[in-house]
Amino acid sequence: WHATGFASKVHGTRLLGGRMEYRGGNLVSGFTLVHTALDDSISPADRVYNLDYFRDNQLFNAGVDAMWQRNRLVFYGEVSFDGKGAAAALAGTRIMVDSRNSFGISYRHYSKGYHNLVAQPYAIGDGRNELGWTLDARMRLPLKVDALLSADIHSFPSLRYGSYRPSTGTWFRAQIARRFGRSCHVSMRYAIREKERNVPYNDSAVYIGEQTLRRQLMGEMRWELGSWQLATKAAWSYFDSENS
């Protein structure tokens, strides 16, 4: 068993909390409690998309997490609640073939009323009002090339900024990278992202949604020269929308 307490105050934000953790055999689990207090209350403007946004100057959060590993298989998950009872959860598993090759899948469910002002969860949005699946693969290819592939399929069950209706999206990413000696590292990334948004500059009294598409190809090269690190990047981006 291991216990940790913490307290801080930074720029008008005060945190007070603790964590109790258990480690035994192949299991690591814990319970975390955090109280966040702000000098000033958060008061978002009344807009159609932010009715569920946080409005207060104090917030409690409690979470339970666990990770179980058996040989090359790992299961993990966490469930968190805020002071009003709204929940957020994430769970997944990973298969590690060896130190260079692994495959993973995860699922997240963040309710629209959940708030945590200091957390940094894996999310496309702000860590609330989001459901999603992520699959990824990390592989070592011939010629010492490292590859990363990932696909994220997600939805936003309620309204959000820029999309005044429930919406969906996808995000596919691929990267290959190679190190040449100790000083040079080269990588190439390609991403495709689709999401829904309101049609801008719409004269109708009804909000109309449209599908948008973004493709991006980026290359990067880094050199480490003693205490210096030099880098250069080149990127190509393509953006298109369904109607506008």
Side-chain angles (χ1 to χ4, degrees), residues 71-170:
N71 297 326
R72 296 177 178 177
L73 183 63
V74 178
F75 293 96
Y76 58 90
E78 180 176 6
V79 179
S80 179
F81 299 90
D82 64 16
K84 296 183 178 180
L90 182 145
T93 183
R94 188 159 205 88
I95 301 175
M96 296 176 289
V97 180
D98 51 38
S99 61
R100 297 285 188 177
N101 297 271
S102 65
F103 304 89
I105 181 173
S106 67
Y107 174 73
R108 61 191 183 276
H109 187 136
Y110 308 146
S111 62
K112 66 178 183 179
Y114 176 79
H115 301 99
N116 190 325
L117 302 181
V118 295
Q120 293 182 333
Y122 175 76
I124 301 298
D126 57 2
R128 51 172 294 277
N129 182 34
E130 182 173 326
L131 313 178
W133 288 92
T134 301
L135 296 90
D136 74 274
R138 301 172 186 270
M139 299 173 289
R140 168 55 69 95
L141 303 180
L143 303 177
K144 298 182 179 181
V145 174
D146 292 317
L148 170 62
L149 303 174
S150 69
D152 193 284
I153 303 172
H154 48 273
S155 65
F156 306 100
S158 185
L159 285 64
R160 62 195 295 263
Y161 178 76
S163 181
Y164 295 169
R165 66 175 184 177
S167 58
T168 61
T170 57

Side-chain angles (χ1 to χ4, degrees), residues 1 24 41 62 82 105 110 120 134 171 175 179 196 212 219 227:
W1 289 93
S41 294
D82 64 16
I105 181 173
Y110 308 146
Q120 293 182 333
T134 301
W171 195 0
Q175 174 179 293
R179 180 173 290 276
E196 296 180 50
T212 64
S227 301

Side-chain angles (χ1 to χ4, degrees), residues 15-223:
L15 300 180
L16 179 65
R19 173 175 172 80
M20 181 67 72
E21 184 176 275
Y22 170 78
R23 291 176 176 264
N26 300 319
L27 176 67
V28 178
S29 61
F31 172 77
T32 305
L33 181 66
V34 183
H35 174 233
T36 307
L38 309 176
D39 287 349
D40 298 315
S41 294
I42 296 178
S43 301
D46 291 330
R47 296 288 187 268
V48 65
Y49 63 85
N50 66 5
L51 297 180
D52 297 309
Y53 282 19
F54 179 75
R55 288 172 167 82
D56 206 341
N57 68 332
Q58 296 193 49
L59 179 64
F60 285 93
N61 291 98
V64 178
D65 63 272
M67 181 180 69
W68 183 83
Q69 182 172 352
R70 180 74 174 181
N71 297 326
R72 296 177 178 177
L73 183 63
V74 178
F75 293 96
Y76 58 90
E78 180 176 6
V79 179
S80 179
F81 299 90
D82 64 16
K84 296 183 178 180
L90 182 145
T93 183
R94 188 159 205 88
I95 301 175
M96 296 176 289
V97 180
D98 51 38
S99 61
R100 297 285 188 177
N101 297 271
S102 65
F103 304 89
I105 181 173
S106 67
Y107 174 73
R108 61 191 183 276
H109 187 136
Y110 308 146
S111 62
K112 66 178 183 179
Y114 176 79
H115 301 99
N116 190 325
L117 302 181
V118 295
Q120 293 182 333
Y122 175 76
I124 301 298
D126 57 2
R128 51 172 294 277
N129 182 34
E130 182 173 326
L131 313 178
W133 288 92
T134 301
L135 296 90
D136 74 274
R138 301 172 186 270
M139 299 173 289
R140 168 55 69 95
L141 303 180
L143 303 177
K144 298 182 179 181
V145 174
D146 292 317
L148 170 62
L149 303 174
S150 69
D152 193 284
I153 303 172
H154 48 273
S155 65
F156 306 100
S158 185
L159 285 64
R160 62 195 295 263
Y161 178 76
S163 181
Y164 295 169
R165 66 175 184 177
S167 58
T168 61
T170 57
W171 195 0
F172 301 98
R173 289 169 287 180
Q175 174 179 293
I176 55 174
R178 192 185 191 283
R179 180 173 290 276
F180 296 89
R182 294 185 176 181
S183 60
C184 182
H185 182 268
V186 179
S187 64
M188 184 73 69
R189 308 171 193 172
Y190 182 69
I192 302 176
R193 184 175 182 182
E194 290 185 318
K195 65 177 182 178
E196 296 180 50
R197 70 169 185 180
N198 299 330
V199 174
Y201 312 113
N202 177 32
D203 294 332
S204 172
V206 178
Y207 286 105
I208 301 175
E210 67 175 353
Q211 194 76 16
T212 64
L213 171 68
R214 182 187 181 190
R215 297 191 182 102
Q216 186 177 60
L217 177 66
M218 184 172 71
E220 180 181 10
M221 184 177 293
R222 297 198 313 267
W223 296 271

